[in-house]
Amino acid sequence: MLTPERHQIILDLLKDRGVVKLHELVEATSSSESTIRRDLSQLENEKKLKRVHGGASLLAQKGEELSITEKAAKNLKEKDKIAQYAASLIRDGDCIYLDAGTTAFQMIPHIKAKEIKVVTNGLTHLEELLERGIDTYITGGYIKQKTRALIGKGALEGVKQYRFDKCFIGVNAIHTEYGFTTPDPEEAMVKLNAMNLSQETFVLGDRTKLNEVTFAKIADLKEGTIITDETDEEILAPYIEKTTIKVVTT
Amino acid sequence: MLTPERHQIILDLLKDRGVVKLHELVEATSSSESTIRRDLSQLENEKKLKRVHGGASLLAQKGEELSITEKAAKNLKEKDKIAQYAASLIRDGDCIYLDAGTTAFQMIPHIKAKEIKVVTNGLTHLEELLERGIDTYITGGYIKQKTRALIGKGALEGVKQYRFDKCFIGVNAIHTEYGFTTPDPEEAMVKLNAMNLSQETFVLGDRTKLNEVTFAKIADLKEGTIITDETDEEILAPYIEKTTIKVVTT
DNA sequence: TGTTTTTGAAAGAAAATGATTGATTTTTGG
DNA sequence: CCAAAAATCAATCATTTTCTTTCAAAAACA
């Protein structure tokens, strides 16, 4: 049976019942547990469903066009390591800014700290945060359709209402000379503001982001601690000179 | 049985009865006491219910608010007429404030005007608004779990960033002497701010809201045009004296 | 053919569950 | 009102189930 077929069966069954057990899917598709597990992981990353212990359930919010393509599923494991490490930096009682975007999103399941407050401009994060009973605030602003990030003046003013112990920022590109950059200037502004209002800044950038540049500058390297999975000493060297960097090993 | 299934059963049963005993839940889900206790702890943490000795109860809300799903079922047809009329007031190019809550939510499918901008503090409205390609802004603030409304200082400041041609406010009670009231003072503040920043204010209140009072005052009657489905002249008379009122007939 | 991708099986890790313990709260009966 | 009895509770532990990771075989591809 082809992968897309199986995925369709899974989603259909899920839509029908709300929740499905793994074993039901094994039976319905006559594939092995392993295969179904892989399917579920993939579909979860595409935000088509939510895995739960023993099976899967519909997403609380009906994520329509929100699905992310294959490329998001690629560096998954590395990104998750980064997210996990980042989440471990959060301490009980911290006030956190959590940037919109998938990398920051992945931190949420790994957050162990209690009594924290989280401010975010990522609408996609809300369900996950609330499900964990985390006190959640959002910045307000204009809703950027493609990513469901909040941007614009409203978001800027929203961020300014708070002060953070730590902020976690996702970026598209990190470069020794050009610093942190991201394609959308409006988003860059929000990120910068959050950084300025935070005691500590952590920039989440997997190895594919290093030595890259995009359009809008967020800040210089020295403004944040980079968390990455790049291990090549040669590539890392110039960054180590200019800022602090934490390398997460798999 | 999967965790989300059990949680759903618990919440359904709770919604039905207001309070449930632990043993009822044990029986209804055929799981052990321990499991149900864990479920209750978790759901309490998510602010979906309140644990009490011997079981759980609905969240004690100031002034007895119904959760979103409960409200939606009541007075559906009348409310929809009100929503439809309200939506027809929106003109091309208007800047609108759309209050959180089900009545305002029902306006969205009826909105015909183009090129409008909508600001809202209701997270539940977003999908619907974006689906119609409406430029949408949100106020920011703290997320009130039960209703998904944004409240608190963040919401207040968020509202203040904008000016509106018209605002549409949902209220819980309308009274000739006590004006517009709603159970949550935090929500009342947000509503009042929106009204003050708007050229015109429309208050959506079906007949069940008239001659009622709840805890937190939003504003005096004269501050807004009431849209209602009450047709009894006797009931309407005192309101007509004090403010403008539009009666929607079914 | 060699290479890549998909698949299923297996072992150890992690999570959920149900039973048990003793502490705490509520109810009962004087 | 008090104290004993009953019920409920949180905490812990062993068991079961499910999960992740890894690896090798099978299938698809060039």
Side-chain angles (χ1 to χ4, degrees):
Chain A
M1 181 178 278
L2 265 37
T3 309
E5 276 185 83
R6 271 198 326 272
H7 285 196
Q8 199 51 55
I9 290 174
I10 293 173
L11 292 174
D12 286 347
L13 217 57
L14 193 54
K15 197 165 167 188
D16 210 47
R17 307 195 196 172
V19 291
V20 279
K21 293 205 187 69
L22 186 107
H23 191 72
E24 293 175 328
L25 295 172
V26 168
E27 206 163 307
T29 61
S30 349
S31 343
S32 69
E33 271 193 20
S34 298
T35 300
I36 298 297
R37 282 185 205 289
R38 274 184 283 254
D39 287 342
L40 293 183
S41 290
Q42 194 177 339
L43 290 168
E44 180 174 53
N45 285 314
E46 294 171 16
K47 296 222 199 314
K48 300 257 179 65
L49 54 75
K50 177 171 172 54
R51 288 191 75 177
V52 297
H53 200 91
S57 83
L58 287 177
L59 286 169
Q61 63 177 171
K62 45 166 189 173
E64 298 273 315
E65 179 66 47
L66 216 51
S67 38
I68 315 220
T69 42
E70 312 297 318
K71 69 162 175 272
K74 271 297 186 240
N75 306 38
L76 193 67
K77 225 176 291 179
E78 293 89 340
K79 278 186 168 176
D80 200 62
K81 277 285 174 206
I82 293 173
Q84 187 169 1
Y85 173 76
S88 76
L89 298 171
I90 302 174
R91 302 275 165 253
D92 287 0
D94 272 354
C95 299
I96 300 296
Y97 180 82
L98 203 61
D99 196 24
T102 51
T103 318
F105 178 82
Q106 284 186 66
M107 288 175 60
I108 304 174
H110 296 296
I111 295 175
K112 298 282 185 288
K114 296 292 173 197
E115 304 290 320
I116 64 174
K117 292 178 195 297
V118 171
V119 178
T120 182
N121 71 326
L123 289 177
T124 52
H125 301 179
L126 298 182
E127 286 302 327
E128 203 75 15
L129 285 164
L130 294 174
E131 202 165 288
R132 291 182 162 63
I134 294 172
D135 264 355
T136 306
Y137 298 72
I138 58 182
T139 60
Y142 181 71
I143 301 169
K144 184 172 165 182
Q145 299 250 9
K146 193 169 159 194
T147 62
R148 293 294 156 89
L150 298 173
I151 58 172
K153 178 163 180 295
L156 286 180
E157 295 298 323
V159 172
K160 286 181 190 162
Q161 311 235 355
Y162 308 100
R163 298 292 180 274
F164 311 109
D165 296 306
K166 306 182 177 88
C167 75
F168 298 90
I169 305 291
V171 303
N172 282 66
I174 300 175
H175 192 278
T176 44
E177 187 173 348
Y178 303 109
F180 305 116
T181 54
T182 202
D184 184 340
E186 298 243 52
E187 283 204 60
M189 282 300 293
V190 179
K191 290 174 203 283
L192 175 58
N193 262 269
M195 289 169 65
N196 287 339
L197 294 165
S198 184
Q199 298 277 330
E200 288 181 277
T201 294
F202 299 96
V203 176
L204 312 173
D206 63 82
R207 63 176 61 161
T208 67
K209 308 290 168 56
L210 291 175
N211 293 337
E212 296 284 326
V213 179
T214 64
F215 181 58
K217 177 161 178 177
I218 301 165
D220 285 320
L221 286 191
K222 65 173 167 24
E223 304 298 335
T225 299
I226 299 170
I227 304 177
T228 186
D229 61 325
E230 179 61 70
T231 49
D232 186 328
E233 292 292 341
E234 204 137 324
I235 296 176
L236 290 173
Y239 292 96
I240 294 173
E241 273 180 36
K242 300 207 169 188
T243 184
T244 48
I245 184 163
K246 166 72 191 183
V247 177
V248 178
T249 54
T250 38
Chain B
M1 178 176 275
L2 264 36
T3 310
E5 279 186 85
R6 269 198 328 271
H7 285 194
Q8 197 53 55
I9 290 173
I10 293 173
L11 292 173
D12 285 348
L13 218 57
L14 194 55
K15 191 162 73 179
D16 211 45
R17 308 194 194 173
V19 291
V20 279
K21 292 210 188 79
L22 187 108
H23 281 292
E24 294 176 325
L25 296 173
V26 167
E27 203 164 316
T29 62
S30 4
S31 1
S32 69
E33 267 192 24
S34 297
T35 300
I36 297 297
R37 282 184 205 291
R38 275 184 281 253
D39 286 342
L40 293 183
S41 290
Q42 194 178 339
L43 290 169
E44 180 174 51
N45 192 43
E46 292 174 28
K47 301 196 168 60
K48 301 252 177 71
L49 54 75
K50 176 168 173 52
R51 289 191 74 177
V52 296
H53 198 89
S57 83
L58 286 177
L59 232 30
Q61 202 90 8
K62 335 155 201 189
E64 181 126 358
E65 274 182 271
L66 297 173
S67 80
I68 266 198
T69 43
E70 294 170 274
K71 271 187 189 168
K74 281 176 91 172
N75 302 63
L76 205 60
K77 219 178 293 175
E78 293 89 341
K79 278 186 166 181
D80 200 61
K81 276 286 174 206
I82 293 172
Q84 186 169 2
Y85 173 75
S88 76
L89 298 170
I90 303 174
R91 301 276 166 254
D92 287 359
D94 271 355
C95 298
I96 299 297
Y97 179 82
L98 202 61
D99 196 24
T102 51
T103 319
F105 178 81
Q106 283 184 65
M107 288 174 60
I108 305 175
H110 297 297
I111 294 176
K112 298 283 186 286
K114 297 294 172 197
E115 305 290 322
I116 65 173
K117 292 178 195 297
V118 171
V119 178
T120 182
N121 71 326
L123 289 177
T124 53
H125 302 179
L126 299 182
E127 288 301 328
E128 203 73 16
L129 286 164
L130 293 173
E131 211 165 277
R132 290 181 163 61
I134 293 171
D135 264 356
T136 306
Y137 298 71
I138 58 182
T139 60
Y142 181 73
I143 302 169
K144 184 170 163 180
Q145 303 241 14
K146 196 165 176 190
T147 61
R148 290 296 159 90
L150 298 173
I151 58 172
K153 179 163 181 294
L156 286 179
E157 295 298 323
V159 172
K160 286 181 190 163
Q161 312 236 352
Y162 308 99
R163 297 294 180 275
F164 312 110
D165 296 307
K166 306 182 177 87
C167 74
F168 297 90
I169 305 290
V171 303
N172 281 66
I174 300 175
H175 192 278
T176 44
E177 186 174 347
Y178 303 108
F180 305 116
T181 54
T182 201
D184 185 341
E186 298 244 50
E187 284 204 59
M189 283 297 293
V190 179
K191 290 175 203 283
L192 174 57
N193 262 268
M195 288 168 65
N196 288 339
L197 294 164
S198 184
Q199 297 278 329
E200 288 180 277
T201 294
F202 299 96
V203 176
L204 312 173
D206 63 81
R207 63 176 63 164
T208 67
K209 308 291 168 55
L210 291 175
N211 292 338
E212 295 284 327
V213 179
T214 64
F215 181 58
K217 176 160 179 179
I218 301 166
D220 285 321
L221 285 191
K222 65 173 170 14
E223 304 298 335
T225 300
I226 300 170
I227 304 176
T228 186
D229 61 325
E230 179 61 70
T231 49
D232 186 328
E233 292 293 341
E234 204 138 323
I235 296 177
L236 289 172
Y239 291 96
I240 294 173
E241 273 179 35
K242 300 207 170 189
T243 184
T244 49
I245 184 162
K246 166 71 190 183
V247 177
V248 178
T249 54
T250 37

